[in-house]
Amino acid sequence: MKLVDQLRQNPWRFKAGDEVFIAGDQQPYPAKVVEAFGYGPSGWPHYLVVDAQGDEWTVPQQMLSTLPIPL
């Protein structure tokens, strides 16, 4: 229950500058978190990330990882 309590108090797992991989996107390089900005309709924290090509994405937290996500 300690982990559940911790997540309720601070659900944000990433911060600006963190390198992350996006689930479902075969990217050879990680994207970079620009900003954590709010909750989406699902209730998950959302982030603005920029990939290696400079494209910006709004991504929910459950779709991000610090490790590559195999398809």
Side-chain angles (χ1 to χ4, degrees), residues 14 18-34 46-71:
F14 305 104
D18 285 352
E19 292 186 338
V20 293
F21 291 89
I22 303 168
D25 184 25
Q26 288 187 338
Q27 56 202 45
Y29 304 103
K32 191 164 283 204
V33 174
V34 174
H46 278 59
Y47 299 84
L48 176 64
V49 299
V50 176
D51 65 18
Q53 291 78 31
D55 296 324
E56 294 182 346
W57 301 85
T58 299
V59 186
Q61 181 168 278
Q62 76 267 33
M63 300 289 293
L64 297 176
S65 172
T66 56
L67 300 173
I69 302 168
L71 294 177

